[in-house]
Amino acid sequence: MRRLRKILFFIILSAWTLTSCEKDTGTETVNVPIGFSNNVTTATRAGDINNDNLTSIGVFASLTHGNFDATVSTPNFMYNQLVEKKNGTWQYTPLKYCPNNDSDKISFFAYAPHNATGVTPSNAIQKGYPSFTYTTPTAEADQVDLLAATPIINQNGGSVDFKMQHALTKVVFNVKSNDDITGKVITAFSITGAKSGTLAHVPANDDDKGFGWTYPSTVTAETFTATTKSLSVPDKSTPEEAMLCTYFLLPTNIGNTFNITYTYIGIKGTQTVTLTNQPLPSLDKWLSGAFVSYTIGIDKKVVTATTESHPTWGNGGQGSVDGTIN
């Protein structure tokens, strides 16, 4: 069951193949360059990375004389190496070669997309497992489905299978009408959340992703603005909800609130309602790879937020909260 959950949670980038490091010509052994290939298996949703739209990856690699040692090892073999898809194949330059010495090892770490907006990699001389800070773009349209790989440690020949996994929480907001008043329109929406965090690769076993997030002792809040400026709210007679926005946010829901402005047609004409700092339902499932959604039900001057999580990205709970204009 645990293995099944991993399959449901993660994008699996299988068969990133490291070519054989040596080639026997009959008279001598020569180096063969490291080559990469990939196959992405994932459900397709708007904004998600999949096999068709993944075009770049950033690779770090440490060459060690013996096994990887986090107290001294650095990314001396590859540092934020761009590997990109061109004409259907994965390419990078300059080519790198595997060591011929059996005691030498290469350890690989990766994330995607390469140099994604908000990513600042650790420096090239930092010892230990590579890390990067991530500052979430404030505009919905600029946010990306950030991926990170389970580290592949102490390789010398054979193949490398990177498992690329969602590093952020996907958060979707939908809206619906809770009363019989028609003509409601969302004119502004935003959410507050953690501004930045640090992702560090760590030793992995079957239960771990091979990376984890840490945050400053005092988490700085940021406001993330939805792209939509004018969204009609479905009438109560319409069972379907309307999707308002999709965010990719840091996996912590400490202090998350939302702000919303909408209009409706009243007896005195068009009325504008603005609600600020509305709490979201308590939900402890903002995790790496989690996919949670919120539905905001709108009355004339009341909003009700409910939430659920989706098993394709992780399991979750439910909750609700009301916000009212006095």
Side-chain angles (χ1 to χ4, degrees), residues 260-273:
I260 188 170
T261 299
Y262 60 93
T263 62
Y264 68 93
I265 307 300
I267 59 175
K268 297 181 179 180
T270 301
Q271 304 294 308
T272 300
V273 177

Side-chain angles (χ1 to χ4, degrees), residues 179-223:
D179 61 22
D180 294 327
I181 295 177
T182 61
K184 300 186 185 77
V185 177
I186 308 295
T187 58
F189 184 84
S190 62
I191 180 176
T192 59
K195 179 178 181 179
S196 63
T198 299
L199 182 148
H201 291 281
V202 296
N205 57 41
D206 288 343
D207 297 323
D208 296 328
K209 299 179 188 303
F211 63 85
W213 289 97
T214 58
Y215 302 94
S217 56
T218 301
V219 177
T220 301
E222 184 62 88
T223 300

